[in-house]
Amino acid sequence: MALPFLPGYCPNKQLGKERFHKSQHFNDSHGIPMFVGSAKSGIGGELLVGQEIKPTHSVNSKGQGSDLPSWVIFDKQVLYFEAYFQEAVPDARDETYRIRRCKIYFYLEDDTIQVVEPEYKNSGIPQGTLIRRQRVPLPPPDGDQFYNIFHFNINQQMVLYSRSFTLTNCDSFTRNFLTKLGVRLNGCATVPDDPYSNLREQIEKNMRPLRPYERCDTLKQYLEHDRKVLRFNCFWDDTESVFGDVRELILHYFLADDTIEICEVIPPNSGRDVSKFLRRSKLPKCAPAQLKQPGEITDRTVLNVFASSTQGKRYILDSLKTGAVQEDFYKDCDLTVGREVNVWGRKVIIADCDDFTKDYYRTKYGIEDFSPVQYKAPPVPKPSRTVPPYNGFGSEEDSLSSCQGLLPKPPQKDLRKFMEKDRCGLNSNVLNFHAKMVTNDPVDSKRAFIISFYLCDDSISVFERPQRNSGVLGGKFLARGRVKKPGQELFKRELPEYFAAQDLYIGATLCLNNKNFQLLDADEYTFNYMEQHPEEFPKANVGNILSKLRSIPEEKQREIGKFLALIDPSNTGFIPYESFRTGRLSTNETWTICKAFRLPLPENLLGGLLSKFADRDTIDYHTLLAGINWMEHPAPPVMPDDILKFAVKVRFDAGGPTVNNVKYPSLLGDLFSFPSNNGDPSTAMST
């Protein structure tokens, strides 16, 4: 029973529908409005009555197979078919049609087709790509559809743009792919003969000689040995002739074509200017008595078998080569060290060869003996050039350069050292030392200097630090320049010795312009640089210091061990860092330190104070510091006449040593190989 056509009794087709757009039926092509809506769908993409969806790219419907797109699945997968088509030739006499072979490629990713015709030599027609890669429509009346994979099969015809192609064969991949799709392939077809192509092949065949020329293929030898040359040192003894001498030659053997070239080494003042001894050519072993004329030496012999004034002449090639002239030329196997080579009647002896030639003969022929032939006396040693002594004008280097040529040149500096050791960013490459003047003058002995050594050119500059109320003006004491070492002869032939970086270290004494300076200290950069380059500064080499400590006798080593054990009565394995200090300084060093910290005492009171704590020439600075510590050891009141009126500026430096405790068992074990039985309490180590 049918339901009445009333609201609520019939299904609503619009339920769940989201698209209600209208398709575009008109388009603008080059400014001309055109109706294109005949193949467009209706409202919301629904098909109109009697309308069918035509496939766009693939015969597989959406949702079948893998979810990946076809251009990913079938990327670089192509079906290959061999085909031909027949082309009519109406205006030719020798042919009425032509069979043209081609290759058809079907790209699975987008169903495009490409037709390519192989290019044949002297074909006279344009060949190559006949149909570029594109989708090819079916012939009418199905022109609105395109070829797909199921339109291809062997031994059938297909029309591509009004041209009939016959598929004859395919490759194995195409055959397997179509078989898996269920396509039943036909048998392979044969390509009919092309009459004009057969005629051309017959003409070319008749043009070939029945007895071809003998060909000697040297291309392989050229490709394998191109630019490979054997080099030999030779000589030719021509002393028997008038004004003759021994000629030194260089023989080049070219492996690419077995040719030889000989060049002469022309010595100076010999009167010769032509270095080419033999041009590049093949060298015969036995030089003929008379040179052959062009055409006398040929690879073929022609025999005159018939001669007639009326019927002409007949010639035939001599296959037995009875009249051929055989010549033996020098090969690489004939050239060895000590061998004699006949160069057109001149006896040339091979004396030596280069390394490449030795490796070649060692590899190919197994020759190991390459002892050179001595053919000339050893060179006479050059007499030494005596340099005159320094004359006092300019520097020693400048005077020496005037003796080395007619045009004096300025002395050359070490540019490489300058570039490596010049200032670069924060790396100054300048060693700064604190120094004092070694003298008996009490005023000069208290002067403070800074000696700078420049590594880029080994120059030295001295700067004096200004001191208040010293009576000496500070500033530049010595301009930058290289300083000679003292005790050298002034007028001598050799260059003088200058101070180098290795001569500067803590405790060293330098004589700069007849003034002796003792190096007391250096900045942190100088210490780091000297420790990083121990090969240049042996005084800063930690390995040398450890080796000196290890060279102490065993008795002294035991005494050091007992002394360190007494300092550690609790046997913790750690002792204070201050225990390694000696605790004593010289009187002069203590005087300098007091002056550097501006101790508010006149010189007479300072000298009396130091003499009170002096023991011979040294002072126990712990006792000195305890004696002048007025807060822990207050001094008795003094009379008003002895009151010192100075402005005192006290500065307390809270900084101490970086390391407070030292694990001495490990130190003794590393130095003297003492056994270490103490533990390593981490709580006792403090930094």
Side-chain angles (χ1 to χ4, degrees), residues 519-535:
L519 305 183
L520 303 178
D521 198 1
D523 58 0
E524 191 66 22
Y525 174 81
T526 303
F527 283 126
N528 293 337
Y529 184 87
M530 296 172 70
E531 291 176 359
Q532 293 174 3
H533 301 80
E535 67 280 355

Side-chain angles (χ1 to χ4, degrees), residues 98 112 360 540 562 591:
R98 182 175 298 170
T112 54
Y360 176 81
K562 293 178 181 179
W591 178 282

Side-chain angles (χ1 to χ4, degrees), residues 337-356:
V337 178
R339 191 77 175 267
E340 181 180 308
V341 180
N342 183 12
V343 182
W344 299 101
R346 296 171 177 83
K347 297 180 180 179
V348 176
I349 299 176
I350 301 176
D352 200 359
C353 59
D354 59 355
D355 295 336
F356 172 77

Side-chain angles (χ1 to χ4, degrees), residues 258-428:
D258 299 331
T259 56
I260 293 177
E261 177 190 44
I262 301 178
C263 300
E264 183 178 0
V265 179
I266 300 178
N269 301 325
S270 62
R272 306 187 185 97
D273 56 353
V274 180
S275 61
K276 184 70 69 174
F277 190 82
L278 176 67
R279 65 177 180 85
R280 181 177 175 179
S281 60
K282 288 190 176 183
L283 181 62
K285 293 183 178 180
C286 299
Q290 185 178 1
L291 295 178
K292 300 292 184 179
Q293 298 296 328
E296 292 186 12
I297 301 177
T298 59
D299 297 335
R300 306 175 63 195
T301 304
V302 181
L303 302 178
N304 185 4
V305 297
F306 183 77
S308 174
S309 59
T310 58
Q311 299 181 2
K313 300 180 181 179
R314 299 291 184 270
Y315 299 94
I316 190 174
L317 294 177
D318 184 9
S319 60
L320 300 179
K321 299 180 180 181
T322 56
V325 179
Q326 300 291 339
E327 282 193 283
D328 193 7
F329 298 95
Y330 278 103
K331 302 291 183 181
D332 56 348
C333 58
D334 302 322
L335 305 178
T336 56
V337 178
R339 191 77 175 267
E340 181 180 308
V341 180
N342 183 12
V343 182
W344 299 101
R346 296 171 177 83
K347 297 180 180 179
V348 176
I349 299 176
I350 301 176
D352 200 359
C353 59
D354 59 355
D355 295 336
F356 172 77
T357 306
K358 294 179 182 178
D359 296 338
Y360 176 81
Y361 280 94
R362 190 181 293 109
T363 303
K364 185 174 182 179
Y365 298 105
I367 300 176
E368 297 292 341
D369 186 12
F370 299 98
S371 301
V373 178
Q374 299 295 335
Y375 61 93
K376 56 183 178 180
V380 180
K382 295 183 179 180
S384 59
R385 300 177 60 181
T386 304
V387 180
Y390 175 56
N391 53 12
F393 293 96
S395 62
E396 288 81 352
E397 292 81 0
D398 192 13
S399 299
L400 180 61
S401 62
S402 63
C403 301
Q404 296 175 351
L406 296 178
L407 298 177
K409 297 181 181 180
Q412 299 293 331
K413 297 182 180 180
D414 193 350
L415 183 60
R416 181 176 181 181
K417 181 179 180 181
F418 178 80
M419 298 298 295
E420 292 178 354
K421 300 297 183 180
D422 193 19
R423 182 183 183 90
C424 181
L426 298 178
N427 190 9
S428 63

